Amino acid sequence: MAGRGAPDDNDLAGDGDYLASFGESLTQTLDLERWANGLNLEDIMRVFREQIGGAMRKEDVLRATVRKELLPLLKSRPKAPAGAGVYQATEEELKAVHEGVLFRGNVEAVNGRAVSHDTLALGITQLGIAAVGYGGSSGTFSQRLFRKEVTFQMDDPFKEAREYVQRREVRSRQAPRNKDSLSRLATRGIRTYAERAVLVERLQAEWRMGLGNPLAYELVTGSGYRGLLDASLELLERLVTQTQKFVFVTDKLEHRGFLTLGHSLDTGEYAILETLEAYGNEVLDGWRYDQEGLYKAEAFFKKFCPQVVMGLFRASNNSPPRLFYAHREHVHLAVRIAMADSILRPEQGYPMLLDVAAMTCHSVFGEDGFQGLVQDAYAQVDPSLQYLNVRKLRR
């Protein structure tokens, strides 16, 4: 199997796109004569105010046009799902969700964290998942993966030593393009799977809340691993058919066109946009499955993508819009749960339970504690610390 390039690789197509995006040519940017000497805070703040103010004024004009002209078309756009359009959640409805669902402990949220340590001798990845509700923590779950290349049995030490050198060099040369697929599998694929597995298998609340697209890209492609693909499709089928009462919310700038629509919403409004059928088709077009994997993925997308809808909500005019995903049979209550949890902090407009789960992960499975344990173990095994790399690499 092979996958498409990293998303950032194709953001800028060439010099023309660079000029259109930044308002100057790449040659101009590379000319050090045009760079400022030192750090003049007054000039920097003046430029920031000009650029931010100009961008905001343009967005205000765009928002008014989108609200007046485009939002009414959501109901009639091609392939719009039943119920597409804009809705208003009232203050009374959200209060009822607070009292009858959220604060009764009928919603639990899941979030995960991955931290890694990598040296020539050993790679260690710690995966942590936290589940929380307003009734308290529902539990934390963790796994630690140890990747080592050198085996203890060396029948031909010279041959194997040469192979290890070559293998490591090939991986290093491929890493900028492939982001090291084994590390990506551990830190993204397995973590994303574990979040949904905990949500489906370990939680008892009537409603479940997660982060991102429930049918996550790294799961429905298997990240290039058939074992992950097979396990993911079985798990996601259970999520859609058995759990059903779920809502997933994104925290990234995904689907920027839809988020532009979202900025035209007012406080308490939400929009139902489309099912995940188009998303499924995009995955099939962009990912190269093997024959059996393609057959399974096509069957999964055909059956389950129409059952999950994507939408937008805005908890406050002082916060950005959020993308959400829910089962089509429960979408209106699902988005009200997400909004009710989000208005607890109107300046954020993001479900508090997801942040509480993230903070729990950081507290229990944070990088500082993990790296401290690793360094202590190295010190006990090898006082010289010759294999321990404690410098943080530049990103």
Side-chain angles (χ1 to χ4, degrees):
M1 297 183 199
R4 61 186 183 185
D8 292 342
D9 295 344
N10 299 316
D11 283 349
L12 297 176
D15 289 354
D17 192 38
Y18 187 94
L19 176 62
S21 297
F22 294 102
E24 64 180 31
S25 69
L26 184 56
T27 301
Q28 289 175 308
T29 300
L30 299 177
D31 182 5
L32 288 183
E33 294 298 325
R34 301 179 70 250
W35 287 45
N37 290 319
L39 189 65
N40 189 320
L41 294 180
E42 184 176 341
D43 283 347
I44 292 173
M45 288 305 300
R46 175 183 55 79
V47 173
F48 278 12
R49 287 194 298 267
E50 290 175 355
Q51 294 293 332
I52 293 173
M56 294 304 98
R57 286 189 292 272
K58 292 178 181 178
E59 288 294 329
D60 285 342
V61 173
L62 177 61
R63 180 182 188 274
T65 303
V66 169
R67 183 169 182 84
K68 180 180 179 181
E69 303 292 343
L70 296 184
L71 285 186
L73 300 179
L74 288 178
K75 292 182 179 180
S76 58
R77 61 193 292 253
K79 298 183 180 179
V86 177
Y87 300 85
Q88 175 73 49
T90 67
E91 184 177 345
E92 291 75 17
E93 290 172 336
L94 297 181
K95 182 179 179 181
V97 171
H98 280 147
E99 297 174 353
V101 183
L102 274 170
F103 297 151
R104 287 181 177 270
N106 291 333
V107 182
E108 291 177 319
V110 167
N111 212 327
R113 183 178 179 87
V115 292
S116 295
H117 168 82
D118 196 23
T119 67
L120 278 175
L122 183 68
I124 307 174
T125 298
Q126 175 178 272
L127 304 165
I129 310 295
V132 302
Y134 285 115
S137 173
S138 299
T140 56
F141 310 86
S142 63
Q143 174 68 283
R144 288 156 193 87
L145 305 176
F146 301 88
R147 188 181 73 185
K148 46 191 178 293
E149 297 168 347
V150 178
T151 62
F152 291 102
Q153 296 80 23
M154 290 190 177
D155 298 329
D156 186 340
F158 171 77
K159 178 182 178 182
E160 294 202 17
R162 183 175 60 186
E163 289 178 353
Y164 285 129
V165 171
Q166 293 175 341
R167 183 189 310 167
R168 285 173 171 175
E169 184 62 20
V170 168
R171 176 176 294 163
S172 297
R173 291 174 182 269
Q174 292 177 343
R177 298 192 303 274
N178 298 338
K179 308 298 183 184
D180 195 331
S181 63
L182 288 174
S183 296
R184 186 177 66 249
L185 170 70
T187 58
R188 293 188 59 183
I190 297 177
R191 181 192 64 193
T192 304
Y193 175 88
E195 287 175 348
R196 284 146 183 78
V198 169
L199 187 147
V200 171
E201 298 175 359
R202 298 299 180 91
L203 302 191
Q204 302 299 319
E206 179 183 9
W207 281 90
R208 324 288 170 87
M209 184 181 294
L211 178 67
N213 184 337
L215 310 185
Y217 183 83
E218 51 265 45
L219 299 186
V220 297
T221 61
S223 300
Y225 295 84
R226 274 296 303 280
L228 179 60
L229 176 65
D230 292 344
S232 296
L233 295 185
E234 188 274 333
L235 176 69
L236 295 177
E237 178 178 348
R238 292 167 59 194
L239 172 68
V240 176
T241 59
Q242 298 176 19
T243 305
Q244 288 198 1
K245 292 186 177 181
F246 60 80
V247 58
F248 281 70
V249 181
T250 66
D251 63 351
K252 293 183 172 61
L253 284 174
E254 300 172 333
H255 297 286
R256 292 180 181 228
F258 286 154
L259 288 176
T260 303
L261 293 175
H263 266 289
S264 67
L265 297 173
D266 281 335
T267 297
E269 289 184 336
Y270 65 93
I272 297 175
L273 299 172
E274 63 182 25
T275 68
L276 292 191
E277 290 174 273
Y279 164 74
N281 290 332
E282 291 172 3
V283 174
L284 291 173
D285 289 341
W287 186 268
R288 294 192 295 275
Y289 295 90
D290 63 20
Q291 193 59 44
E292 184 179 355
L294 177 61
Y295 173 78
K296 290 184 175 181
E298 286 178 332
F300 176 86
F301 290 143
K302 182 178 180 180
K303 185 174 182 179
F304 299 109
C305 281
Q307 299 184 45
V308 181
V309 297
M310 177 172 62
L312 296 154
F313 71 83
R314 196 158 191 205
S316 165
N317 282 346
N318 295 326
S319 62
R322 302 292 181 184
L323 278 167
F324 75 91
Y325 301 83
H327 195 283
R328 66 184 182 189
E329 298 296 331
H330 306 283
V331 60
H332 293 285
L333 182 51
V335 67
R336 281 169 167 80
I337 289 173
M339 292 178 69
D341 200 27
S342 299
I343 63 174
L344 297 175
R345 293 180 304 166
E347 76 284 357
Q348 295 285 337
Y350 181 76
M352 182 177 285
L353 276 176
L354 287 177
D355 272 346
V356 172
M359 288 185 288
T360 302
C361 272
H362 179 77
S363 175
V364 178
F365 306 113
E367 184 167 3
D368 289 343
F370 167 73
Q371 296 294 353
L373 292 173
V374 170
Q375 292 175 25
D376 184 59
Y378 267 93
Q380 293 184 38
V381 174
D382 177 19
S384 72
L385 299 179
Q386 62 175 314
Y387 291 108
L388 176 63
N389 179 17
V390 295
R391 283 181 54 84
K392 288 188 176 181
L393 302 180
R394 187 176 75 166
R395 297 185 182 277

